[in-house]
Amino acid sequence: MVTNRIWTIPNVISFVRLLGVPLFLYLLLGPHHDVAAVIVLAVGGTTDWVDGYVARRMNSVSRLGELLDPFADRLYILATLIGFTLREVVPWWLTTALLLRELVLGVALLVLRRHGYGPPPVHYVGKTGTFVLLAAFPVLLLAEAVPSIDAVALPLGWALAWWALGLYWAAAVLYLAQTRALLRADRTLSSREAVAG
């Protein structure tokens, strides 16, 4: 059951996760406290599933929570991409590939809204891609922050990043297929109504 409540425990968890974004950017781009930035990023990424789990277990799923959780994920990813690209932890092509996917889905969402539909339900492939990407980022930063472990951390971080990129685009294809199916059903219904009228 979805409620309109704002102050639920899962929503508070999501708000706390959101507060980690500016703290992470400050640590990464300001004083270059990379190990502290890794910790903030790791906590923000690994608690990704906590708010949803708590919401389901406590039967406190809310409309705000359904918006906050993916928003926090996207904000972490966007902030990390900007910070990492400016610090040259990741190359521009990875940033471009991930942002292009967001742009494609943003256009699809606008088309759906224009036809009276909300966003499609979150698919586990996309959720897994987000989780893996949020795991890849701290490992890549750790490789930068602690050179003595970069022989292990760097390949592991890039393996996770490539895996996440594949899952991310696979989820985009699934979301686009859902969008196409909804629009086709909408056209079919409009045609039937026109014939009946």
Side-chain angles (χ1 to χ4, degrees):
M1 184 176 172
V2 180
T3 70
N4 289 318
R5 291 174 58 207
I6 293 173
W7 295 111
T8 64
I9 292 173
N11 289 354
V12 170
I13 294 169
S14 294
F15 282 127
V16 171
R17 286 184 66 218
L18 284 170
L19 291 175
V21 173
L23 176 60
F24 162 74
L25 282 174
Y26 167 74
L27 293 169
L28 183 71
L29 299 176
H32 288 205
H33 291 314
D34 291 350
V35 174
V38 166
I39 293 167
V40 172
L41 189 58
V43 169
T46 54
T47 54
D48 171 36
W49 63 275
V50 173
D51 44 11
Y53 176 78
V54 171
R56 287 185 295 275
R57 292 287 291 182
M58 296 182 66
N59 207 15
S60 58
V61 177
S62 68
R63 284 182 174 77
L64 179 62
E66 289 178 335
L67 295 173
L68 271 180
D69 183 37
F71 177 71
D73 293 343
R74 278 173 175 62
L75 199 58
Y76 263 101
I77 290 168
L78 181 62
T80 306
L81 280 174
I82 290 168
F84 277 22
T85 306
L86 291 174
R87 284 280 309 275
E88 298 181 350
V89 176
V90 298
W92 278 100
W93 65 261
L94 179 64
T95 304
T96 304
L98 291 169
L99 292 179
L100 182 63
R101 184 260 195 191
E102 293 301 315
L103 180 64
V104 167
L105 289 185
V107 170
L109 188 57
L110 287 173
V111 170
L112 282 174
R113 279 218 177 111
R114 198 165 153 202
H115 287 266
Y117 293 104
V122 175
H123 198 279
Y124 75 91
V125 174
K127 198 70 178 159
T128 305
T130 299
F131 181 79
V132 174
L133 192 61
L134 289 172
F137 286 153
V139 177
L140 288 171
L141 184 56
L142 197 59
E144 178 89 7
V146 187
S148 60
I149 63 164
D150 77 335
V152 174
L154 202 57
L156 176 60
W158 275 108
L160 290 169
W162 275 107
W163 183 23
L165 186 61
L167 288 171
Y168 233 48
W169 274 99
V173 170
L174 290 170
Y175 290 135
L176 289 174
Q178 287 177 334
T179 301
R180 185 173 175 227
L182 283 170
L183 295 178
R184 183 179 286 170
D186 199 36
R187 266 196 306 268
T188 303
L189 184 62
S190 296
S191 299
R192 285 180 184 163
E193 285 174 351
V195 170

